[in-house]
Amino acid sequence: MDFQPILDDIVEAIRPELGKEGRVANYIPALANVPAAQFGIALRTYVGREAAAGDFATPFSIQSISKVFALGMGMRLTGESLWEHIGREPSGSAFNSLVQLENEQGVPRNPFINAGAIALVDRLLGHLDPKAEMLALLSSLCNEPVFFDEVVAASEAATGFRNIALANFMKSFGRIENDIDGVLDAYFHHCSVRMSCQQLARAAAVLCADGAHPFHADQKVLTERQTRRINALMLTCGTYDAAGEFAYRIGLPCKSGVGGGIIAVVPDTLSLCVWSPALDHTGNSLLGMRALEMFTSMTGLSVF
Ligand code: GLU
């Protein structure tokens, strides 16, 4: 299939909608000023063919998309014991909710809500430097150096009262081993990574190739089973409280972030990244979701 004309058509269809609906995330002050009227899309097939259109080269804050790669790191390091500390069920509540944690003795529902990612970073800290490792992993997977946005990381540290509360709450249940400040510093930095659609489509290609490195096919970054499980979690828990709607309308494992990015995986075929900063009421990129729906309708690609 020639994907370039498809992505060009999607950009044409989305362009008149730019800036009309949705809202840029403003609870992180450093994200509030990102111009809403931007849209990019990029993909990479498992054999390395690429297509891209719109603002595909513009870097943005990947936010919760980093949680997918943190999970990959956690699975590699701690194997199944990870699941003694973090669940694997959709939360059915807000990504930063405290309520469920109270009822479930401080064990987060899954690694893609904030509490789960914070608990995951705590696990990583016992083995490595999560900040350095995140940059090393993403830079390797997309074949270009990527960096933290220190302004965004500092902005989150200064205003992330809920995340600070989540970490302390879990600590009160004895679920966090390390010093809270170190855990949160790594978590906020993970969220602050800046990447473009093209870089994220490349990095996510590891998930459409049974865990093989996108640029070095003979190198296994994840096992086939780990990759399958990350995709399963993305499908069930990757898009906040809209995972059902994503499965229904798009039918692909996806992970979104409040920076407006969404990665999507067609297993054994390709990975995609869309980005548009204005979010809908569920916190997902409004035009990003629409673009993914167009892509699966036009190509017939879906896991169902
Ligand atoms: N850094 C954001 C937070 O912790 C991540 C939210 C997201 O992208 O889901 O609130």
Side-chain angles (χ1 to χ4, degrees):
M1 204 181 298
D2 185 2
F3 290 109
Q4 189 57 50
I6 294 172
L7 300 198
D8 289 337
D9 285 352
I10 291 173
V11 168
E12 278 312 301
I14 293 285
R15 192 166 284 140
E17 305 302 321
L18 283 176
K20 283 195 183 152
E21 285 175 82
R23 284 186 145 190
V24 173
N26 58 5
Y27 74 99
I28 300 169
L31 294 185
N33 302 325
V34 176
Q38 303 186 78
F39 173 78
I41 183 165
L43 66 76
R44 182 177 172 95
T45 69
Y46 78 105
V47 290
R49 280 176 46 219
E50 295 192 344
D55 300 315
F56 67 86
T58 306
F60 59 90
S61 192
I62 74 170
Q63 291 295 318
S64 275
I65 298 174
S66 63
K67 294 177 168 80
V68 173
F69 299 93
L71 176 59
M73 281 157 54
M75 281 180 156
R76 281 201 310 199
L77 281 168
T78 66
E80 290 299 309
S81 70
L82 185 66
W83 304 118
E84 291 161 20
H85 307 273
I86 304 168
R88 300 190 293 256
E89 293 295 340
S91 69
S93 52
F95 68 102
N96 54 8
S97 166
L98 280 146
V99 177
Q100 215 159 35
L101 271 181
E102 169 78 12
N103 294 333
E104 299 181 359
Q105 286 75 49
V107 180
R109 270 287 170 105
N110 68 66
F112 294 154
I113 52 173
N114 288 5
I118 291 168
L120 182 54
V121 167
D122 181 55
R123 296 284 104 205
L124 296 176
L125 270 170
H127 299 263
L128 44 73
D129 173 354
K131 286 164 64 175
E133 199 64 28
M134 179 61 82
L135 289 185
L137 176 64
L138 290 172
S139 300
S140 165
L141 290 176
C142 78
N143 213 26
E144 277 173 23
V146 304
F147 303 99
F148 297 128
D149 184 330
E150 292 294 346
V151 174
V152 171
S155 180
E156 291 210 48
T159 59
F161 304 114
R162 260 182 185 268
N163 290 323
I164 296 164
L166 287 169
N168 279 290
F169 202 40
M170 288 190 286
K171 184 104 178 162
S172 77
F173 282 102
R175 305 288 182 193
I176 297 283
E177 273 176 22
N178 296 283
D179 168 58
I180 295 283
D181 290 344
V183 173
L184 286 170
D185 179 58
Y187 170 76
F188 290 139
H189 275 85
H190 283 183
C191 294
S192 82
V193 170
R194 276 172 77 75
M195 291 172 79
S196 66
C197 285
Q198 186 161 57
Q199 289 174 322
L200 269 172
R202 287 174 178 165
V206 67
L207 299 172
C208 74
D210 292 336
H213 192 292
F215 289 88
H216 308 284
D218 54 339
Q219 194 184 315
K220 273 281 190 189
V221 180
L222 296 164
T223 65
E224 193 178 332
R225 172 192 269 219
Q226 288 167 337
T227 311
R228 206 167 50 230
R229 291 181 160 176
I230 293 174
N231 283 327
L233 284 163
M234 284 169 61
L235 185 78
T236 52
C237 313
T239 47
Y240 311 118
D241 225 1
E245 190 68 7
F246 265 75
Y248 184 83
R249 281 171 52 186
I250 294 160
L252 294 175
C254 294
K255 181 74 200 88
S256 48
V258 294
I262 310 175
I263 57 169
V265 180
V266 186
D268 302 321
T269 307
L270 58 84
S271 52
L272 267 166
C273 179
V274 292
W275 168 63
S276 191
L279 310 179
D280 67 11
H281 68 283
T282 66
N284 293 291
S285 170
L286 196 140
L287 293 177
M289 188 173 184
R290 210 171 283 169
L292 286 174
E293 191 175 7
M294 285 165 122
F295 180 82
T296 49
S297 307
M298 288 160 88
T299 59
L301 292 169
S302 152
V303 296
F304 300 111

